[in-house]
Amino acid sequence: TGRQIQSVSGARKNSRCLAWNADGRLVIQKGKRLLCLMDPDSGEVSDPWVEDEASIVHLAPSPNANQILTVASHSLAGVSAKIVRIWEGKGESPVRTLVSKDLHSRNLFAVSWSPDGKYALATGAGHLVYLWIAANGEAVIDYHDPDAKLRMGGLLSGRLLGHAWHPDGKRFATSSSDNTILLWEIGQQEPAGEPLVGHTGEVKEIAWHPTGSRLASCSTDHTIKIWDTETRELTLTLRGHTDEVR
């Protein structure tokens, strides 16, 4: 019906993240550093579940509803850096830190879990792709594109705008500001094959078909495209939007 059923007080203008937890509660950000759980029926908000010392820029609840993956902006010796952490329950400290003082980690901005909760993924500018085994923090993929600046005349390009997991949990795709889509397979340190090319603007978001045989993408070129990911062929372009599709 579109009727408002709950409203949360105390959230500030800096609150920028929210997501549904697997137990049906909503993970909400209150201010820059606090994450709480809200019951959508009663509106009751829990005490802070996560309390980071830095500004959280993205979050992802785990499929088992017991953990939250975050990426937050820290200032280390006056230099901005992004730290990826796993939090569990109401612990005051993260159970695992996945990225800290890495040269490129300052450009990370999105995180997610694989469908089975085994892997944690973080992506960002310069085609940054980090993948870890969540249970022990072991790095599976540690990738950045050394030619990102060269491709766009000295500007940092290849800013990954979105990523999406294949339903089988063994593959994922990333969309980029350089108008391309990359496919990845767990265990490979480089993208799997050539990029999917066809958009003439930034590729904002991507989504897999439930069967995993198709990938949809939307772009600032005002189109939505459908790809066969086995043949890497563009199968359909939907036009009609008068502005960027995101």
Side-chain angles (χ1 to χ4, degrees), residues 135-151:
N136 59 19
E138 178 184 346
V140 180
I141 296 177
D142 186 338
Y143 178 87
H144 75 282
D145 185 347
D147 297 323
K149 290 185 177 181
L150 300 178
R151 285 203 308 270

Side-chain angles (χ1 to χ4, degrees), residues 194-218:
E194 295 298 314
L196 303 182
V197 178
H199 281 292
T200 57
E202 295 183 347
V203 185
K204 289 291 190 179
E205 292 288 347
I206 47 180
W208 292 90
H209 187 276
T211 64
S213 61
R214 298 287 189 273
L215 185 72
S217 59
C218 60

Side-chain angles (χ1 to χ4, degrees), residues 51-242:
E51 185 170 356
D52 205 332
E53 71 271 18
S55 301
I56 297 170
V57 298
H58 198 243
L59 67 91
S62 68
N64 63 15
N66 293 327
Q67 296 180 322
I68 293 181
L69 183 65
T70 63
V71 58
S73 296
H74 290 249
S75 179
L76 302 173
V79 178
S80 175
K82 297 285 178 57
I83 294 181
V84 179
R85 287 171 166 166
I86 296 176
W87 307 78
E88 185 172 299
K90 292 184 179 180
E92 296 181 357
S93 300
V95 295
R96 188 157 293 106
T97 296
L98 301 176
V99 166
S100 55
K101 298 180 181 180
D102 181 83
L103 173 63
H104 307 285
S105 66
R106 72 190 66 176
N107 297 313
L108 291 173
F109 69 92
V111 290
S112 69
W113 298 84
S114 61
D116 59 5
K118 181 177 180 180
Y119 298 101
L121 173 66
T123 59
H127 279 303
L128 283 179
V129 177
Y130 293 99
L131 183 70
W132 306 270
I133 298 174
N136 59 19
E138 178 184 346
V140 180
I141 296 177
D142 186 338
Y143 178 87
H144 75 282
D145 185 347
D147 297 323
K149 290 185 177 181
L150 300 178
R151 285 203 308 270
M152 298 294 284
L155 298 176
L156 183 62
S157 73
R159 184 166 63 94
L160 296 187
L161 302 175
H163 64 243
W165 282 92
H166 188 279
D168 67 9
K170 299 177 181 178
R171 292 171 279 177
F172 59 92
T174 56
S175 63
S176 174
S177 60
D178 65 9
N179 310 347
T180 67
I181 300 165
L182 294 175
L183 303 181
W184 302 79
E185 296 181 4
I186 292 175
Q188 294 187 10
Q189 292 297 315
E190 300 281 338
E194 295 298 314
L196 303 182
V197 178
H199 281 292
T200 57
E202 295 183 347
V203 185
K204 289 291 190 179
E205 292 288 347
I206 47 180
W208 292 90
H209 187 276
T211 64
S213 61
R214 298 287 189 273
L215 185 72
S217 59
C218 60
S219 170
T220 58
D221 65 10
H222 306 179
T223 70
I224 297 172
K225 295 182 182 293
I226 310 295
W227 310 81
D228 182 321
T229 55
E230 297 302 322
T231 64
R232 295 177 176 267
E233 293 181 353
L234 175 63
T235 61
L236 181 65
T237 297
L238 302 175
R239 296 182 173 87
H241 289 281
T242 57

